[in-house]
Structure formats: structure tokens, C-alpha cells
Amino acid sequence: MKKVTALLVAVMLLLCGCAKYDKNGRVLTTGGTLYPNGGLVEAAGAAKQSPIPVILDVDGGADDVLAVILAAKCEGLDVRGIAVTQGCVDLQTAGRNVLMACAFANLDVPVALGAEKPMEREAVTDPQHHGADGLAGMQLPPTERALSELTAEELYCQVADECNGRLQIITLGPLTNLGQVLKSHPELIGKIERVVAGCGTLDGLPEFNAQNDPEALQMVMDSGVSLTFLVNNICDRSFVEFTPLRDDLISRQGTSRYILCAENRPKSRLSQLYMEIGKTEKGNRMYGYLVVDWVNNEQAAQPPEQMVVTVSLEEGEKGGQMQFDTALRADEGYPVVLESTTLLWDKLEELAECYNK
């Protein structure tokens, strides 16, 4: 009986959400996680942790849209607002996409526009991976929701003042908004518990968020704010383009997982979006989705490694290239998450159940 109880406790601990690590990688605290019934699994005898207040900073691409839809169902996160930046699409289009995502998810938070262009460079969009409208084929229902009267900068300042040092920022696009606000309001550094940035690659190849505005990224790095990176390589293990290795799906080799999930969850409001994105090669690397999932499920996630991070501020193709080297001391560099243990197939189905009609 004791073995069974111990096993159940271990499973519950794995399923819990947010965590912090000491210098040896041991978990210090636990939080909540997403479940199809919206419930929160707690470790036996553990006090329930309050959700982490977060601001999402996004550029309105397909992965960010699904990240917003996910965040609305994360028990471990308390979304206080969404700051919108230029990035894979122009600022107005990004704002419209985020409003539609919030309406779809019934997420009632302020959506505030921020930077129209990078801090020192010309704006560069990414239609190759997200399509002209950023949605990669998804047709979100239109909404009459309006943008907040606050600017992104004002949203940051207001929410930071409300959260008593617990605010975390999750950046899924270029870091332009955050770079600008920390430059104008350095006092916010002491009010932000952590920034989690989806940014960079381990192989030195260009990564859009870093390449779009490396000066903003450098500004955030130099500010001294607590910063954790999740590199784009986290997508590699979690997402395989085609069917998982399941006997019942052998005949469907070559079919997008999104389409399979849509077929498997016909009662979900997400099934149509999955079907639409599954028919295109765009947006299929769900980077932003995995960053939000990592923050919500940090207890069960891959712990970060301490690394020295540099970013090139050169002009041209080398601008924004990042380099990650293993830190020699525990007090240098930044925590960097190198891979995801999340199986996106399972997460797609889990999220689909949360949006049953």
C-alpha cells in the first residue's frame, strides 16, 4: 500500500505546474497545470499555490494565437494582460489576431498595442512561416472586442504595480516592447520576478524573434532583469510533422497531426482550427505554445541549464545571431531550456478537450 501511495504522490508531483529550481536543479515550489476538466491536481499534503500573474508579449503569429488559447486554460497562470508588438505581421494585424484569439478563448484581459517597429532597425515580417495574415490558414471568428486604451508600456507599469514582485513576463515575439519599457522605466526591474523569452537557436542559425530586434534583446539582457531563455530547438523533440508511432495510425503516415487530432476530437471548437492549420505547412512549429506550456508545467518540464548568452548586433544576416556556451560558474549567464519533454500530440488533444462545444 505504501508503494502505491508513493507512486501516486510521484505522479501527482510530475503533473503539477510551475516550479522554481535551486542551484542544483531541485524543485522549490509547485503550482498548477492544464487539465481537460479544468481541475488542479495537487501533491498529497501540499498547499495549493496561487497562479502566477503573467503578461504575454506576442506578435500575433499562429503559434502565439494558439499560445493565447492555451494560456486561457492554464490553471497555473493568471493572465493579467497581453502586450502586442510588431513581428511576424504588422502591429495592427497582430492586434486583431490577438483580439480574435481572446474572444475565442473567452479570455477577458486588456490587449495593448506596443512597438510598430524594432528599436533601431526596419520592420521585418515573416509570411513564409505564418502567412500574410499571421494565422497560417486558421480562420478565427471575427470579434467586436476593442483594443485597450492603454499602451503596452502603460500595461506593463500598471500590472507590475499590482503584482507585488510576482509578475512574470512571457515573450513570444521580438522583445521590442520589453526593451523599450525597461529603458524608460528601469524601476520595473525590481517588480518583475522573471522574464521567460522564446528566443534563439543552439545551432547559430537565424531565429526570427532575435533577428527582428537584437538591440531590444540586448537591452533586456543588460537590464539585469531575471531572464530565462527557451530556444527554438524545444520544438524539435516535441513536434514531429507526421503521425506518431501508433499501430492504429500506420495507414495515415504523411497526415498532419493537427488533422488527426481534429478528426479525433470532432466535438471540440478547436477541431476546425486544427484542420485548417494542418492543411498548410505554415505555423506547424508551435514555438509560442510550448513556451507557455513550459511555464505552466515547469515542475514536470526539462530544467534549464546555466549558459553564457551573446547576441550579434551586426547589420545584415548575422544580426541577431545568438551563441550559447556552458557557464563555468553558477553565477554567470542565464538559465536556458534546451529541449521540451512535452509531446505536442498529447497537448493538442488535451487542449481540444478543454474547448468541447
Side-chain angles (χ1 to χ4, degrees), residues 30 45 154 211 346:
T30 61
E154 292 168 339
Q211 191 175 37
D346 294 334

Side-chain angles (χ1 to χ4, degrees), residues 28-49:
L28 297 177
T29 60
T30 61
T33 189
L34 171 76
Y35 275 85
N37 61 5
L40 181 68
V41 172
E42 297 179 25
K48 178 178 175 179
Q49 301 292 315

Side-chain angles (χ1 to χ4, degrees), residues 79-235:
V79 181
R80 295 295 188 90
I82 302 177
V84 184
T85 185
Q86 59 79 34
C88 66
V89 291
D90 66 86
L91 184 63
Q92 295 298 324
T93 301
R96 182 201 67 193
N97 290 351
V98 173
L99 286 175
M100 290 191 294
C102 287
F104 182 94
N106 196 27
L107 180 61
D108 188 13
V109 298
V111 176
L113 295 186
E116 289 188 310
K117 67 184 190 70
M119 293 183 73
E120 298 182 16
R121 301 176 185 237
E122 293 300 317
V124 178
T125 58
D126 189 16
Q128 177 183 353
H129 294 102
H130 295 275
D133 65 355
L135 296 177
M138 291 188 291
Q139 299 294 318
L140 284 165
T143 179
E144 295 183 358
R145 290 194 181 198
L147 294 163
S148 172
E149 295 181 357
L150 298 173
T151 65
E153 181 174 313
E154 292 168 339
L155 176 68
Y156 268 107
C157 294
Q158 178 176 299
V159 176
D161 284 340
E162 296 170 349
C163 291
N164 300 315
R166 294 192 63 235
L167 177 64
Q168 296 197 27
I169 311 297
I170 304 176
T171 66
L172 306 179
L175 280 77
T176 314
N177 287 338
L178 186 57
Q180 289 181 344
V181 76
L182 292 180
K183 181 180 180 179
S184 301
H185 299 275
E187 72 277 6
L188 288 186
I189 294 168
K191 299 178 181 181
I192 296 173
E193 182 176 4
R194 180 175 65 170
V195 174
V196 178
C199 194
T201 62
L202 295 179
D203 48 23
L205 293 175
E207 187 277 320
F208 181 80
N209 293 338
Q211 191 175 37
N212 174 280
D213 198 346
E215 284 77 19
L217 172 57
Q218 188 68 62
M219 179 73 68
V220 174
M221 292 170 62
D222 291 343
S223 72
V225 71
S226 176
L227 177 61
T228 296
F229 289 101
L230 275 80
V231 294
N232 190 269
N233 307 77
I234 66 172
C235 300

